[in-house]
Amino acid sequence: MSQRVTWRDQPSYYDPTINAITVGPAAPIFPTCPNAETSNDTGSVAPGGVGYFTVYLRDQRNSDPVSVRWYKPDGSLWATSTSGVPSNYYSSAYWYWYRTFPTTPTGIWRFEATMNGKVVSKDFAVGSQVIPCTYALSTSSASVAPGGASGSVIVSATGNSSCTWTAT
């Protein structure tokens, strides 16, 4: 016997959201399939150099422009801009902006994007400042016999998308 399912709070069919934002020295590259895309996300911009700021979206409607802001290391607003909008609807989309940065101030700047009331921000370095890497390991542990074993440990990095680590 089937049961009727009802929703008290039916979720919207469209869910306009910012999936990710990236910062780097070049625009993202999307080659033809099956080749992998290149985000060019480095999390930094050279002083006096050009930085590319990409916002990746889902469910962008013609009523959902993206507003972006850049903040200096002292927290003051440096620049603003707004994206275009689709003529009707994009199930997935990306917009990017590029800006030439001054030679000073160097330090940790912030890029912020807002769409449909949702705000996502990313810190990035201008100059030789380094955004620290923070690592988190899963709480499980296991002994490994000589010769190896199979299994997994989860390592997640936050703060800097170019963080790397090596297990030995």
Side-chain angles (χ1 to χ4, degrees):
M1 168 164 58
S2 66
Q3 292 182 331
R4 183 173 172 210
V5 177
T6 58
W7 293 85
R8 183 166 69 169
D9 296 315
Q10 177 70 35
S12 174
Y13 180 78
Y14 297 109
D15 184 20
T17 300
I18 298 172
N19 290 330
I21 56 178
T22 61
V23 177
I29 300 169
F30 293 96
T32 58
C33 288
N35 300 311
E37 65 277 352
T38 304
S39 72
N40 289 312
D41 183 16
T42 61
S44 64
V45 176
V50 176
Y52 287 78
F53 301 82
T54 308
V55 178
Y56 297 88
L57 312 169
R58 84 163 174 241
D59 290 344
Q60 186 184 22
R61 301 168 298 188
N62 61 3
S63 59
D64 297 320
V66 178
S67 300
V68 294
R69 290 159 303 285
W70 291 263
Y71 293 93
K72 295 178 184 179
D74 67 4
S76 64
L77 183 65
W78 181 63
T80 64
S81 189
T82 303
S83 74
V85 293
S87 59
N88 186 19
Y89 165 76
Y90 289 149
S91 61
S92 62
Y94 71 97
W95 296 93
Y96 71 85
W97 295 259
Y98 58 92
R99 293 286 184 269
T100 301
F101 277 76
T103 54
T104 61
T106 59
I108 305 301
W109 291 53
R110 187 173 79 247
F111 175 59
E112 188 175 272
T114 303
M115 183 178 78
N116 198 33
K118 298 173 185 172
V119 180
V120 176
S121 65
K122 179 171 182 144
D123 291 340
F124 64 98
V126 174
S128 60
Q129 294 287 327
V130 175
I131 299 172
C133 298
T134 303
Y135 297 98
L137 296 175
S138 64
T139 58
S140 61
S141 63
S143 298
V144 177
S150 62
S152 64
V153 174
I154 299 168
V155 178
S156 58
T158 58
N160 183 345
S161 63
S162 60
C163 294
T164 59
W165 67 281
T166 303
T168 57

